[in-house]
Coordinates of all heavy atoms in Angstrom, one line a residue:
M536 N 13.5 9.1 -7.0 CA 12.2 8.8 -6.7 C 12.1 7.7 -5.7 O 12.7 6.6 -5.9 CB 11.4 8.4 -8.0 CG 10.2 7.6 -7.9 SD 9.2 7.4 -9.3 CE 10.0 6.1 -10.2
E537 N 11.5 7.9 -4.6 CA 11.3 6.9 -3.5 C 10.0 6.1 -3.9 O 8.9 6.7 -3.9 CB 11.1 7.6 -2.2 CG 11.1 6.6 -1.0 CD 10.9 7.3 0.3 OE1 11.5 8.4 0.5 OE2 10.1 6.8 1.1
I538 N 10.2 4.9 -4.2 CA 9.1 4.1 -4.7 C 8.1 3.7 -3.6 O 6.9 3.9 -3.7 CB 9.6 2.8 -5.4 CG1 10.4 3.3 -6.7 CG2 8.5 1.9 -5.8 CD1 11.1 2.2 -7.4
L539 N 8.6 3.1 -2.5 CA 7.7 2.7 -1.4 C 7.5 3.9 -0.5 O 8.5 4.5 0.1 CB 8.4 1.6 -0.6 CG 8.5 0.3 -1.4 CD1 9.2 -0.7 -0.5 CD2 7.2 -0.3 -1.9
K540 N 6.3 4.3 -0.2 CA 5.9 5.4 0.7 C 5.8 4.8 2.1 O 6.4 5.2 3.0 CB 4.7 6.1 0.3 CG 4.7 6.7 -1.1 CD 5.3 8.0 -1.1 CE 5.2 8.6 -2.5 NZ 6.2 9.7 -2.7
K541 N 4.8 3.8 2.3 CA 4.6 3.2 3.6 C 3.7 2.0 3.4 O 3.0 1.9 2.4 CB 3.9 4.2 4.5 CG 2.5 4.7 4.0 CD 1.9 5.7 5.0 CE 0.6 6.2 4.5 NZ 0.0 7.1 5.4
P542 N 3.8 1.1 4.3 CA 2.9 -0.1 4.3 C 1.5 0.3 4.7 O 1.3 1.2 5.5 CB 3.5 -1.1 5.2 CG 4.3 -0.3 6.1 CD 4.8 0.9 5.4
I543 N 0.5 -0.4 4.2 CA -0.9 -0.1 4.6 C -1.3 -1.1 5.6 O -1.3 -2.3 5.3 CB -1.8 -0.1 3.4 CG1 -1.4 1.0 2.4 CG2 -3.3 0.0 3.8 CD1 -2.1 0.9 1.0
L544 N -1.6 -0.7 6.8 CA -1.9 -1.6 8.0 C -3.3 -1.4 8.4 O -3.6 -0.8 9.5 CB -0.9 -1.3 9.1 CG 0.6 -1.5 8.8 CD1 1.5 -1.0 9.9 CD2 0.9 -2.9 8.4
T545 N -4.2 -1.7 7.6 CA -5.7 -1.6 7.9 C -6.2 -3.0 8.2 O -5.5 -4.0 8.0 CB -6.5 -1.0 6.7 OG1 -6.3 -1.9 5.6 CG2 -6.0 0.4 6.4
E546 N -7.4 -3.1 8.7 CA -8.1 -4.3 9.0 C -8.2 -5.2 7.7 O -8.0 -6.4 7.7 CB -9.4 -4.1 9.6 CG -10.0 -5.2 10.4 CD -11.2 -4.8 11.2 OE1 -11.4 -3.6 11.5 OE2 -12.1 -5.7 11.4
K547 N -8.6 -4.6 6.6 CA -8.7 -5.3 5.4 C -7.4 -5.8 4.9 O -7.3 -7.0 4.4 CB -9.3 -4.3 4.3 CG -10.0 -5.0 3.2 CD -10.5 -3.9 2.2 CE -11.9 -4.2 1.8 NZ -12.5 -3.3 0.9
A548 N -6.4 -5.0 5.0 CA -5.0 -5.5 4.5 C -4.5 -6.6 5.4 O -3.8 -7.5 4.9 CB -4.1 -4.3 4.6
S549 N -4.8 -6.6 6.7 CA -4.3 -7.6 7.6 C -5.0 -8.9 7.3 O -4.5 -10.0 7.5 CB -4.4 -7.2 9.1 OG -5.7 -6.9 9.4
L550 N -6.3 -8.9 6.9 CA -7.0 -10.1 6.5 C -6.4 -10.7 5.3 O -6.3 -11.9 5.2 CB -8.5 -9.8 6.2 CG -9.4 -9.7 7.4 CD1 -10.8 -9.2 7.0 CD2 -9.5 -11.0 8.1
L551 N -6.0 -9.9 4.3 CA -5.3 -10.3 3.1 C -4.0 -11.0 3.5 O -3.7 -12.1 2.9 CB -5.0 -9.2 2.2 CG -6.0 -8.7 1.2 CD1 -5.5 -7.5 0.4 CD2 -6.4 -9.9 0.2
T552 N -3.3 -10.5 4.4 CA -2.0 -11.0 4.9 C -2.2 -12.4 5.5 O -1.5 -13.3 5.2 CB -1.3 -10.1 5.9 OG1 -1.1 -8.8 5.2 CG2 0.0 -10.6 6.3
E553 N -3.2 -12.5 6.4 CA -3.4 -13.8 7.1 C -3.9 -14.9 6.2 O -3.4 -16.0 6.3 CB -4.5 -13.5 8.2 CG -4.0 -12.7 9.4 CD -5.2 -12.3 10.3 OE1 -6.3 -12.9 10.2 OE2 -4.9 -11.3 11.0
K554 N -4.8 -14.5 5.3 CA -5.5 -15.6 4.5 C -4.7 -15.9 3.2 O -4.6 -17.1 2.8 CB -6.9 -15.2 4.1 CG -7.8 -15.2 5.3 CD -9.2 -15.0 4.9 CE -10.1 -15.2 6.2 NZ -11.2 -14.4 6.3
L555 N -4.1 -14.9 2.5 CA -3.6 -15.1 1.2 C -2.1 -14.8 1.1 O -1.5 -14.8 0.0 CB -4.4 -14.3 0.2 CG -5.8 -14.6 0.1 CD1 -6.6 -13.6 -0.8 CD2 -6.0 -16.0 -0.5
N556 N -1.4 -14.4 2.2 CA 0.0 -14.0 2.2 C 0.2 -12.8 1.2 O 1.2 -12.8 0.5 CB 0.9 -15.2 1.8 CG 2.3 -15.0 2.3 OD1 2.6 -14.3 3.3 ND2 3.2 -15.7 1.7
R557 N -0.6 -11.8 1.3 CA -0.5 -10.6 0.5 C -0.3 -9.4 1.4 O -0.9 -9.3 2.5 CB -1.8 -10.4 -0.3 CG -2.0 -11.4 -1.4 CD -3.2 -11.1 -2.2 NE -3.3 -12.1 -3.3 CZ -4.3 -12.1 -4.2 NH1 -5.2 -11.2 -4.1 NH2 -4.3 -13.0 -5.1
Y558 N 0.5 -8.5 0.9 CA 0.8 -7.3 1.7 C 0.5 -6.0 0.9 O 0.7 -6.1 -0.4 CB 2.3 -7.2 2.1 CG 2.6 -8.4 3.1 CD1 3.0 -9.6 2.6 CD2 2.6 -8.1 4.4 CE1 3.3 -10.6 3.5 CE2 3.0 -9.1 5.3 CZ 3.3 -10.4 4.9 OH 3.6 -11.4 5.7
A559 N 0.0 -5.0 1.5 CA -0.4 -3.8 0.8 C 0.6 -2.6 1.1 O 1.0 -2.5 2.3 CB -1.8 -3.4 1.1
F560 N 1.0 -1.9 0.1 CA 1.9 -0.7 0.3 C 1.3 0.5 -0.5 O 0.7 0.3 -1.5 CB 3.3 -1.0 -0.3 CG 4.0 -2.1 0.4 CD1 3.9 -3.4 0.0 CD2 4.8 -1.8 1.5 CE1 4.6 -4.4 0.7 CE2 5.5 -2.8 2.1 CZ 5.4 -4.1 1.8
Q561 N 1.6 1.7 0.1 CA 1.3 2.9 -0.7 C 2.6 3.2 -1.4 O 3.7 3.2 -0.8 CB 0.9 4.0 0.3 CG 0.5 5.3 -0.4 CD 0.0 6.3 0.5 OE1 -0.4 6.0 1.6 NE2 -0.1 7.5 0.1
V562 N 2.5 3.4 -2.7 CA 3.7 3.6 -3.6 C 3.6 4.9 -4.4 O 2.5 5.5 -4.4 CB 3.9 2.4 -4.5 CG1 4.1 1.1 -3.8 CG2 2.7 2.2 -5.5
D563 N 4.7 5.2 -5.0 CA 4.8 6.4 -5.8 C 3.9 6.2 -7.1 O 3.9 5.1 -7.7 CB 6.2 6.6 -6.3 CG 6.4 8.0 -7.0 OD1 6.0 8.1 -8.1 OD2 7.0 8.9 -6.4
P564 N 3.1 7.2 -7.4 CA 2.1 7.0 -8.6 C 2.8 6.8 -9.9 O 2.2 6.2 -10.8 CB 1.3 8.3 -8.6 CG 1.7 9.1 -7.4 CD 2.9 8.5 -6.7
R565 N 4.1 7.2 -10.0 CA 4.8 7.0 -11.3 C 5.5 5.6 -11.4 O 6.0 5.3 -12.4 CB 5.8 8.1 -11.4 CG 5.2 9.5 -11.5 CD 6.2 10.5 -11.4 NE 6.8 10.5 -10.0 CZ 7.7 11.2 -9.5 NH1 8.3 12.1 -10.3 NH2 8.1 11.1 -8.3
A566 N 5.5 4.8 -10.3 CA 6.2 3.6 -10.3 C 5.4 2.5 -11.0 O 4.2 2.4 -10.9 CB 6.5 3.1 -8.8
N567 N 6.2 1.6 -11.7 CA 5.5 0.5 -12.4 C 5.7 -0.8 -11.6 O 6.4 -0.8 -10.6 CB 6.0 0.3 -13.8 CG 7.4 0.0 -14.0 OD1 8.0 -0.6 -13.1 ND2 8.0 0.5 -15.0
K568 N 5.1 -1.9 -12.0 CA 5.1 -3.1 -11.2 C 6.5 -3.7 -11.1 O 6.9 -4.2 -10.0 CB 4.2 -4.2 -11.9 CG 2.7 -3.8 -11.8 CD 1.9 -4.9 -12.4 CE 0.4 -4.6 -12.4 NZ -0.4 -5.6 -12.8
L569 N 7.4 -3.6 -12.1 CA 8.7 -4.1 -12.0 C 9.6 -3.3 -11.0 O 10.3 -3.9 -10.2 CB 9.4 -4.1 -13.3 CG 8.8 -4.9 -14.4 CD1 9.5 -4.7 -15.7 CD2 8.9 -6.4 -14.0
Q570 N 9.4 -2.0 -10.9 CA 10.1 -1.1 -10.0 C 9.6 -1.4 -8.5 O 10.4 -1.5 -7.6 CB 9.9 0.3 -10.3 CG 10.5 0.8 -11.5 CD 10.1 2.2 -11.9 OE1 9.0 2.6 -11.7 NE2 11.0 2.9 -12.5
I571 N 8.3 -1.6 -8.4 CA 7.8 -1.9 -7.1 C 8.3 -3.3 -6.6 O 8.7 -3.4 -5.4 CB 6.2 -1.9 -7.1 CG1 5.7 -0.5 -7.4 CG2 5.6 -2.5 -5.8 CD1 4.2 -0.5 -7.8
K572 N 8.3 -4.3 -7.5 CA 8.8 -5.6 -7.1 C 10.2 -5.6 -6.6 O 10.6 -6.1 -5.6 CB 8.6 -6.5 -8.3 CG 9.1 -8.0 -8.0 CD 8.9 -8.8 -9.3 CE 9.3 -10.2 -9.0 NZ 9.1 -11.1 -10.1
S573 N 11.1 -4.9 -7.4 CA 12.5 -4.9 -7.0 C 12.8 -4.1 -5.7 O 13.6 -4.4 -4.9 CB 13.4 -4.3 -8.2 OG 13.0 -2.9 -8.4
A574 N 12.0 -3.0 -5.5 CA 12.1 -2.2 -4.3 C 11.8 -3.0 -3.0 O 12.5 -3.0 -2.0 CB 11.3 -0.9 -4.4
I575 N 10.7 -3.8 -3.1 CA 10.3 -4.6 -2.0 C 11.2 -5.7 -1.7 O 11.6 -6.0 -0.6 CB 8.8 -5.1 -2.2 CG1 7.9 -3.9 -2.1 CG2 8.4 -6.1 -1.1 CD1 6.4 -4.2 -2.5
E576 N 11.7 -6.4 -2.8 CA 12.7 -7.4 -2.7 C 13.9 -6.9 -2.0 O 14.5 -7.6 -1.2 CB 12.9 -8.1 -4.0 CG 11.8 -9.0 -4.5 CD 12.0 -9.6 -5.8 OE1 12.9 -9.1 -6.6 OE2 11.3 -10.6 -6.1
Q577 N 14.4 -5.8 -2.4 CA 15.6 -5.2 -1.8 C 15.4 -4.8 -0.3 O 16.3 -5.1 0.5 CB 16.1 -3.9 -2.5 CG 16.8 -4.2 -3.8 CD 17.2 -2.9 -4.5 OE1 16.7 -1.8 -4.1 NE2 18.2 -3.0 -5.4
M578 N 14.3 -4.2 0.0 CA 14.1 -3.7 1.3 C 13.8 -4.8 2.3 O 14.3 -4.7 3.5 CB 12.9 -2.7 1.4 CG 12.7 -2.1 2.7 SD 11.5 -0.7 2.7 CE 12.6 0.7 2.4
Y579 N 13.0 -5.8 2.0 CA 12.6 -6.8 2.9 C 13.3 -8.1 2.7 O 13.1 -9.1 3.5 CB 11.1 -6.9 2.9 CG 10.4 -5.7 3.4 CD1 9.7 -4.9 2.5 CD2 10.3 -5.3 4.7 CE1 9.1 -3.7 2.9 CE2 9.7 -4.2 5.1 CZ 9.1 -3.4 4.2 OH 8.4 -2.3 4.6
G580 N 14.0 -8.3 1.6 CA 14.7 -9.6 1.4 C 13.7 -10.8 1.2 O 14.0 -11.9 1.7
V581 N 12.7 -10.6 0.4 CA 11.7 -11.6 0.2 C 11.5 -11.8 -1.4 O 12.0 -11.0 -2.1 CB 10.3 -11.3 0.7 CG1 10.3 -11.3 2.3 CG2 9.8 -10.0 0.2
S582 N 11.0 -13.0 -1.8 CA 10.8 -13.2 -3.2 C 9.3 -13.1 -3.5 O 8.4 -13.6 -2.7 CB 11.3 -14.6 -3.6 OG 11.0 -15.6 -2.7
I583 N 8.9 -12.3 -4.5 CA 7.6 -11.9 -4.8 C 7.0 -12.8 -6.0 O 7.7 -13.0 -7.0 CB 7.5 -10.4 -5.1 CG1 7.9 -9.7 -3.9 CG2 6.2 -10.0 -5.7 CD1 8.0 -8.2 -4.1
Q584 N 5.8 -13.2 -5.8 CA 5.1 -14.0 -6.8 C 4.3 -13.1 -7.8 O 4.4 -13.3 -9.0 CB 4.2 -15.0 -6.1 CG 3.6 -16.0 -7.0 CD 2.8 -17.0 -6.3 OE1 3.0 -17.2 -5.1 NE2 1.9 -17.7 -6.9
A585 N 3.6 -12.1 -7.3 CA 2.8 -11.2 -8.1 C 2.7 -9.8 -7.5 O 2.7 -9.7 -6.3 CB 1.4 -11.8 -8.3
V586 N 2.5 -8.8 -8.4 CA 2.2 -7.4 -7.9 C 1.0 -6.9 -8.6 O 0.9 -7.0 -9.9 CB 3.4 -6.5 -8.3 CG1 3.1 -5.1 -7.9 CG2 4.7 -7.0 -7.6
N587 N 0.0 -6.5 -7.9 CA -1.2 -5.9 -8.4 C -1.2 -4.4 -8.0 O -0.9 -4.1 -6.8 CB -2.5 -6.6 -7.9 CG -2.5 -8.0 -8.4 OD1 -2.0 -8.9 -7.6 ND2 -3.0 -8.2 -9.5
T588 N -1.6 -3.5 -8.9 CA -1.6 -2.1 -8.5 C -3.0 -1.5 -8.7 O -3.8 -2.0 -9.6 CB -0.6 -1.2 -9.4 OG1 -0.9 -1.4 -10.7 CG2 0.8 -1.6 -9.1
I589 N -3.3 -0.5 -7.9 CA -4.6 0.1 -7.9 C -4.4 1.6 -7.7 O -3.6 2.0 -6.8 CB -5.5 -0.4 -6.7 CG1 -5.6 -1.9 -6.7 CG2 -6.9 0.3 -6.7 CD1 -6.0 -2.5 -5.4
V590 N -5.1 2.5 -8.4 CA -5.0 3.9 -8.2 C -6.3 4.2 -7.4 O -7.4 4.1 -7.9 CB -4.9 4.7 -9.5 CG1 -5.0 6.2 -9.2 CG2 -3.7 4.4 -10.2
V591 N -6.1 4.7 -6.2 CA -7.2 5.0 -5.3 C -7.5 6.5 -5.4 O -6.7 7.3 -5.1 CB -6.9 4.7 -3.8 CG1 -8.1 5.0 -2.9 CG2 -6.5 3.2 -3.7
N592 N -8.7 6.8 -5.9 CA -9.1 8.2 -6.1 C -9.5 8.8 -4.7 O -10.0 8.1 -3.9 CB -10.3 8.4 -7.1 CG -9.9 8.2 -8.5 OD1 -8.8 8.7 -8.9 ND2 -10.7 7.5 -9.3
G593 N -9.2 10.1 -4.6 CA -9.6 10.8 -3.3 C -11.1 10.9 -3.1 O -11.8 11.1 -4.1
K594 N -11.5 10.9 -1.9 CA -12.9 11.1 -1.6 C -13.3 12.5 -1.5 O -12.5 13.3 -1.0 CB -13.3 10.4 -0.2 CG -13.1 8.9 -0.2 CD -13.5 8.4 1.1 CE -13.4 6.9 1.2 NZ -13.7 6.4 2.6
A595 N -14.5 12.9 -1.8 CA -15.0 14.2 -1.6 C -15.4 14.4 -0.2 O -16.1 13.6 0.4 CB -16.2 14.5 -2.5
K596 N -14.9 15.4 0.5 CA -15.1 15.6 1.9 C -15.7 17.0 2.1 O -15.4 17.9 1.4 CB -13.9 15.5 2.8 CG -13.2 14.2 2.7 CD -13.6 13.4 3.9 CE -12.8 12.1 4.0 NZ -13.0 11.4 5.2
S597 N -16.7 17.1 3.0 CA -17.2 18.5 3.3 C -17.5 18.6 4.8 O -17.8 17.6 5.5 CB -18.5 18.7 2.5 OG -19.4 17.7 2.7
R598 N -17.5 19.8 5.3 CA -17.8 20.0 6.7 C -18.3 21.4 7.0 O -18.0 22.3 6.2 CB -16.7 19.7 7.6 CG -15.4 20.5 7.4 CD -14.3 20.2 8.4 NE -13.2 21.1 8.2 CZ -12.0 20.8 7.7 NH1 -11.8 19.5 7.4 NH2 -11.1 21.7 7.6
H599 N -19.0 21.6 8.0 CA -19.5 22.9 8.4 C -18.5 23.5 9.4 O -18.2 22.9 10.4 CB -20.9 22.9 9.0 CG -21.9 22.4 8.1 ND1 -22.4 23.2 7.1 CD2 -22.5 21.2 7.9 CE1 -23.3 22.5 6.3 NE2 -23.4 21.2 6.8
T600 N -18.1 24.7 9.2 CA -17.1 25.4 10.1 C -17.7 26.8 10.4 O -18.8 27.2 9.9 CB -15.7 25.6 9.5 OG1 -15.9 26.4 8.3 CG2 -15.2 24.2 9.1
K601 N -17.0 27.6 11.2 CA -17.4 29.0 11.5 C -17.4 29.8 10.2 O -18.2 30.7 10.1 CB -16.4 29.6 12.5 CG -16.7 29.4 13.9 CD -15.8 30.3 14.7 CE -15.4 29.6 16.0 NZ -14.4 30.4 16.7
A602 N -16.5 29.5 9.3 CA -16.4 30.2 8.1 C -17.5 29.8 7.1 O -17.6 30.4 6.0 CB -15.0 30.1 7.5
G603 N -18.2 28.8 7.4 CA -19.3 28.3 6.5 C -19.0 26.9 6.0 O -18.3 26.2 6.7
F604 N -19.6 26.6 4.9 CA -19.5 25.2 4.4 C -18.2 25.1 3.6 O -18.0 25.9 2.7 CB -20.7 25.0 3.5 CG -20.8 23.6 3.0 CD1 -21.3 22.6 3.9 CD2 -20.5 23.2 1.7 CE1 -21.4 21.3 3.4 CE2 -20.7 22.0 1.2 CZ -21.1 21.0 2.1
V605 N -17.3 24.1 4.0 CA -16.1 23.9 3.3 C -16.1 22.5 2.7 O -16.4 21.6 3.3 CB -14.9 24.0 4.3 CG1 -13.6 23.8 3.7 CG2 -14.9 25.4 5.0
S606 N -15.7 22.5 1.4 CA -15.6 21.2 0.7 C -14.3 21.1 0.0 O -13.7 22.0 -0.3 CB -16.8 21.0 -0.3 OG -16.7 22.0 -1.3
G607 N -13.8 19.8 -0.1 CA -12.6 19.5 -0.7 C -12.4 18.1 -1.0 O -13.4 17.3 -0.9
R608 N -11.2 17.6 -1.3 CA -11.0 16.2 -1.7 C -9.7 15.7 -0.9 O -8.8 16.5 -0.7 CB -10.7 16.0 -3.1 CG -11.9 16.3 -4.0 CD -11.7 15.9 -5.4 NE -11.7 14.4 -5.6 CZ -12.9 13.7 -5.8 NH1 -14.0 14.4 -5.7 NH2 -12.9 12.4 -5.9
T609 N -9.7 14.5 -0.6 CA -8.5 13.9 0.0 C -7.6 13.5 -1.2 O -8.1 13.4 -2.4 CB -8.8 12.6 0.8 OG1 -9.5 11.7 -0.1 CG2 -9.7 12.9 2.0
A610 N -6.3 13.4 -1.0 CA -5.4 13.1 -2.1 C -5.6 11.7 -2.6 O -5.9 10.8 -1.9 CB -4.0 13.3 -1.6
K611 N -5.4 11.6 -4.0 CA -5.4 10.2 -4.6 C -4.0 9.6 -4.4 O -3.0 10.4 -4.4 CB -5.9 10.3 -6.0 CG -4.9 10.7 -7.1 CD -5.6 10.6 -8.4 CE -4.5 10.6 -9.5 NZ -5.1 10.4 -10.8
Y612 N -3.9 8.3 -4.4 CA -2.6 7.6 -4.3 C -2.7 6.3 -5.0 O -3.7 5.8 -5.4 CB -2.3 7.5 -2.8 CG -3.2 6.6 -2.0 CD1 -3.0 5.3 -1.8 CD2 -4.3 7.1 -1.4 CE1 -3.8 4.5 -1.1 CE2 -5.2 6.3 -0.7 CZ -4.9 5.0 -0.5 OH -5.8 4.2 0.2
K613 N -1.5 5.7 -5.2 CA -1.4 4.4 -5.8 C -1.1 3.4 -4.7 O -0.2 3.6 -3.9 CB -0.3 4.4 -6.9 CG -0.2 3.2 -7.7 CD 0.8 3.4 -8.9 CE 0.6 2.4 -9.9 NZ 1.5 2.7 -11.1
K614 N -1.8 2.2 -4.8 CA -1.6 1.2 -3.9 C -1.1 -0.1 -4.6 O -1.6 -0.4 -5.7 CB -3.0 0.9 -3.2 CG -3.0 -0.2 -2.2 CD -4.2 -0.2 -1.3 CE -5.5 -0.3 -2.0 NZ -6.7 -0.5 -1.0
A615 N -0.2 -0.8 -4.0 CA 0.3 -2.0 -4.6 C 0.0 -3.2 -3.6 O 0.3 -3.1 -2.4 CB 1.8 -1.9 -4.8
I616 N -0.6 -4.2 -4.1 CA -0.8 -5.4 -3.3 C 0.1 -6.5 -3.8 O 0.1 -6.9 -5.0 CB -2.3 -5.9 -3.4 CG1 -3.2 -4.8 -2.8 CG2 -2.5 -7.2 -2.7 CD1 -4.6 -5.0 -2.9
V617 N 1.0 -7.0 -2.9 CA 2.1 -7.9 -3.3 C 1.8 -9.2 -2.8 O 1.6 -9.4 -1.6 CB 3.4 -7.3 -2.8 CG1 4.6 -8.2 -3.1 CG2 3.7 -5.9 -3.3
T618 N 1.9 -10.3 -3.6 CA 1.7 -11.7 -3.2 C 3.1 -12.3 -3.0 O 3.9 -12.3 -4.0 CB 0.9 -12.5 -4.2 OG1 -0.3 -11.8 -4.5 CG2 0.6 -13.9 -3.7
L619 N 3.4 -12.8 -1.9 CA 4.7 -13.4 -1.6 C 4.7 -14.9 -1.9 O 3.6 -15.5 -1.9 CB 5.2 -13.2 -0.2 CG 5.3 -11.8 0.3 CD1 5.9 -11.8 1.7 CD2 6.3 -11.0 -0.6
K620 N 5.8 -15.5 -2.2 CA 5.9 -16.9 -2.3 C 5.6 -17.6 -1.0 O 5.8 -17.1 0.0 CB 7.2 -17.3 -2.9 CG 7.4 -16.8 -4.3 CD 8.6 -17.4 -5.0 CE 8.6 -16.9 -6.4 NZ 9.9 -17.0 -7.1
D621 N 5.2 -18.9 -1.1 CA 4.8 -19.7 0.1 C 5.9 -19.7 1.1 O 7.1 -19.9 0.7 CB 4.4 -21.1 -0.3 CG 3.0 -21.1 -1.0 OD1 2.3 -20.1 -0.8 OD2 2.8 -22.0 -1.7
G622 N 5.6 -19.5 2.4 CA 6.6 -19.7 3.5 C 7.3 -18.4 3.8 O 8.1 -18.3 4.7
E623 N 7.1 -17.3 3.0 CA 7.8 -16.0 3.2 C 6.9 -15.0 3.9 O 5.7 -15.0 3.6 CB 8.3 -15.4 1.9 CG 9.2 -16.4 1.2 CD 10.4 -15.6 0.5 OE1 10.6 -14.5 0.8 OE2 11.1 -16.3 -0.3
I624 N 7.4 -14.2 4.8 CA 6.6 -13.2 5.5 C 7.4 -11.9 5.6 O 8.6 -11.9 5.5 CB 6.2 -13.7 6.9 CG1 7.5 -13.9 7.8 CG2 5.3 -14.9 6.9 CD1 7.2 -14.0 9.3
I625 N 6.7 -10.8 5.8 CA 7.3 -9.5 6.0 C 6.8 -9.1 7.4 O 5.6 -9.1 7.7 CB 6.8 -8.4 5.0 CG1 7.3 -8.8 3.6 CG2 7.3 -7.1 5.4 CD1 6.8 -7.9 2.5
D626 N 7.8 -8.8 8.3 CA 7.4 -8.4 9.7 C 7.7 -6.9 9.8 O 8.8 -6.5 9.9 CB 8.3 -9.2 10.7 CG 7.8 -9.0 12.1 OD1 6.7 -8.4 12.3 OD2 8.5 -9.4 13.0
F627 N 6.6 -6.2 9.8 CA 6.7 -4.7 9.9 C 7.0 -4.3 11.3 O 7.6 -3.2 11.5 CB 5.3 -4.0 9.5 CG 4.9 -4.3 8.1 CD1 3.7 -4.9 7.8 CD2 5.8 -3.9 7.0 CE1 3.4 -5.0 6.4 CE2 5.4 -4.1 5.7 CZ 4.2 -4.7 5.4
Y628 N 6.7 -5.1 12.3 CA 6.9 -4.6 13.7 C 8.3 -5.0 14.3 O 8.5 -4.7 15.4 CB 5.8 -5.2 14.5 CG 4.4 -4.8 14.0 CD1 3.6 -5.8 13.4 CD2 4.0 -3.5 14.2 CE1 2.4 -5.4 12.9 CE2 2.7 -3.2 13.7 CZ 1.9 -4.1 13.1 OH 0.7 -3.7 12.6
S629 N 9.2 -5.6 13.5 CA 10.4 -6.1 14.0 C 11.4 -4.9 14.3 O 12.3 -5.0 15.1 CB 11.1 -7.1 13.1 OG 11.4 -6.4 11.9
T630 N 11.2 -3.8 13.6 CA 12.1 -2.7 13.8 C 11.7 -1.6 14.8 O 12.3 -0.6 14.9 CB 12.3 -2.0 12.4 OG1 11.1 -1.5 11.9 CG2 13.0 -2.9 11.4
I631 N 10.6 -1.9 15.5 CA 10.1 -0.9 16.5 C 10.9 -1.0 17.7 O 11.2 -2.1 18.2 CB 8.6 -1.2 16.8 CG1 7.8 -0.9 15.5 CG2 8.1 -0.3 17.9 CD1 6.3 -1.2 15.6

């Protein structure tokens, strides 16, 4: 099971990073906080103070097409917000 799917790089997540030294990741829905903590510590070499998890439900979407009215849902996913210890950072753009 691959625990970390991808980092979340939205405007809201970058505000959390700047103000509170927190980073957001999309993670496997079956992963618990201890698994998430160890995966991030291994991948980025940082020490973690706290892990908060959120299950984000998919939104209902609908649109009009040639075939008529189509409705569905976006996929639900699990999000982890990780607080790092003071003085530590994760640089997502260093490997580009």
Side-chain angles (χ1 to χ4, degrees):
M536 158 168 82
E537 185 181 322
I538 293 171
L539 296 178
K540 302 273 186 203
K541 62 182 179 180
I543 298 173
L544 302 172
T545 59
E546 200 169 333
K547 199 179 226 183
S549 58
L550 278 174
L551 273 177
T552 301
E553 290 167 17
K554 292 191 170 143
L555 301 170
N556 202 23
R557 292 182 176 178
Y558 294 85
F560 294 91
Q561 187 172 339
V562 296
D563 190 287
R565 297 165 294 176
N567 62 32
K568 291 182 181 185
L569 296 174
Q570 292 171 326
I571 293 167
K572 181 178 179 177
S573 65
I575 292 173
E576 285 177 341
Q577 279 181 346
M578 182 172 268
Y579 295 105
V581 293
S582 41
I583 293 175
Q584 188 174 339
V586 177
N587 298 91
T588 58
I589 305 159
V590 175
V591 180
N592 285 319
K594 293 181 180 177
K596 298 269 188 163
S597 57
R598 62 178 184 247
H599 296 284
T600 64
K601 272 192 216 175
F604 188 74
V605 178
S606 62
R608 293 189 76 81
T609 59
K611 80 177 199 178
Y612 63 94
K613 189 171 195 175
K614 178 165 56 171
I616 298 177
V617 177
T618 308
L619 299 184
K620 292 191 175 163
D621 289 336
E623 302 221 10
I624 60 166
I625 296 174
D626 189 10
F627 296 123
Y628 303 108
S629 64
T630 58
I631 296 176

